[in-house]
Amino acid sequence: MTGARHDAAPEAQPVAPALLTPVLVKQREDQVGPKGRTHYILSSDGLFLHRSHPFFTSCTPVREWPAELAGCTTSLQPRFPPLTRKQYERIVGFFSKVADQHGTEAAVLLVWDKQEQRVLLHVPRQTALLGGLGVRYELPVDLPPHQLVYGDVHCHVDAPAYASNVDVHDEEHSTGLHLVVGRIRSEPPELHVEVVVDGVRFLIDPAEVVAGYSHRREDVPDEWMACMRFEHARERPAVAVTYAPVSQPPALLPPPAPAPRTPNGGPRWHG
Ligand SMILES: [Zn+2]
């Protein structure tokens, strides 16, 4: 029997033909769009407009995307597991004790245990600045695979709770939940919560991620206090990234492929 096969799968069609001006999704260097027809090219360098004019052929970056496309806005619907009231009160108790004894910041990591379906608190070994604001720590690389670091909490001591310039810089590639406790000597202290996803920051209501608060707890584990190291501000290295972990901890989000950078890992600074 001769003739065309009708049972073959249709060839992948990278052009969106429904648009008046088609879009070529360029996945190979030698890929070309419909001959003689003006079309867009979606590439790793952005969206371009390709024109075939009798006097020239051009390819130029577009300033306005196709009007036929529907709109899309930056948004976030958080579904983070909330800290229990007891957990948050213990964190505040820890920050309060460190502030009273040393006048420094401190930090706690939030870990989601996928097997037990609950939040765990992890206090990393950390170095806080004496006489200044700042705390440095390494993300744990020895957590079991079912435990995922999904956020952090740090304290601004007597300063207000907000995302400082150091925080914003440090957290740019740190997808997850970031809580800042401020004015630690007030009861309750201030709490500021932001989420970072793919470099975009979202301010969210603390009630979304903390189940409640009554008072700071005095029963701070000794092992938490033992994680604290201190250095004077003048001893702070000019370059923060001086000791990267040998492997990466589990990432909250896989980066888009190919990964331009890792969303987690490396020392963290908070200011
Ligand atoms: Zn901070």
Side-chain angles (χ1 to χ4, degrees):
M1 184 174 176
T2 60
R5 289 172 57 101
H6 296 288
D7 56 348
E11 189 174 337
Q13 176 55 271
V15 172
L19 296 176
L20 291 175
T21 304
V23 179
L24 169 70
V25 180
K26 188 174 181 183
Q27 296 172 282
R28 301 188 315 270
E29 288 300 321
D30 61 350
Q31 203 170 355
V32 295
K35 191 176 181 181
R37 187 174 176 190
T38 296
H39 58 274
Y40 291 105
I41 300 175
L42 183 61
S43 72
S44 62
D45 295 303
L47 185 67
F48 288 74
L49 186 62
H50 185 279
R51 290 184 187 278
S52 292
H53 184 274
F55 297 161
F56 60 85
T57 299
S58 62
C59 190
T60 55
V62 301
R63 296 185 178 87
E64 295 183 6
W65 284 59
E68 300 160 82
L69 296 178
C72 188
T73 57
T74 304
S75 65
L76 175 78
Q77 287 84 44
R79 287 186 293 276
F80 290 93
L83 290 171
T84 66
R85 182 171 66 87
K86 183 177 177 181
Q87 285 177 322
Y88 180 58
E89 290 173 349
R90 181 163 283 170
I91 290 171
V92 173
F94 171 52
F95 290 166
S96 180
K97 191 169 182 178
V98 172
D100 286 346
Q101 292 187 2
H102 306 284
T104 70
E105 296 194 20
V108 175
L109 298 178
L110 307 179
V111 176
W112 176 243
D113 189 305
K114 290 189 276 190
Q115 286 184 353
E116 297 187 20
Q117 291 288 291
R118 69 187 186 99
V119 175
L120 306 175
L121 303 182
H122 179 92
V123 178
R125 289 173 60 90
Q126 54 195 283
T127 302
L129 294 182
L130 293 165
L133 287 182
V135 64
R136 183 181 75 229
Y137 57 85
E138 293 182 55
L139 288 170
V141 294
D142 54 352
L143 292 177
H146 62 276
Q147 293 185 354
L148 181 70
V149 176
Y150 73 94
D152 54 60
V153 193
H154 75 280
C155 177
H156 279 182
V157 197
D158 294 316
Y162 70 107
S164 70
N165 289 338
V166 173
D167 297 335
V168 171
H169 176 269
D170 181 70
E171 294 162 359
E172 183 178 357
H173 306 310
S174 177
T175 290
L177 188 62
H178 302 286
L179 285 71
V180 183
V181 177
R183 306 216 189 275
I184 190 64
R185 298 178 218 281
S186 300
E187 190 68 298
E190 294 180 4
L191 177 59
H192 177 90
V193 183
E194 294 191 19
V195 174
V196 176
V197 183
D198 295 325
V200 178
R201 303 186 71 88
F202 298 89
L203 179 66
I204 66 171
D205 183 349
E208 295 255 14
V209 294
V210 175
Y213 180 82
S214 172
H215 61 280
R216 65 199 65 202
R217 290 182 175 257
E218 305 294 332
D219 55 339
V220 178
D222 291 339
E223 55 267 32
W224 287 18
M225 297 300 291
C227 291
M228 299 302 302
R229 299 288 184 275
F230 303 95
E231 67 184 17
H232 289 281
R234 64 179 181 277
E235 298 172 359
R236 178 174 171 167
V239 178
V241 184
T242 55
Y243 47 96
V246 292
S247 60
Q248 300 295 331
L252 183 61
L253 280 183
R261 56 194 176 231
T262 52
N264 277 327
R268 293 271 183 83
W269 277 99
H270 285 294

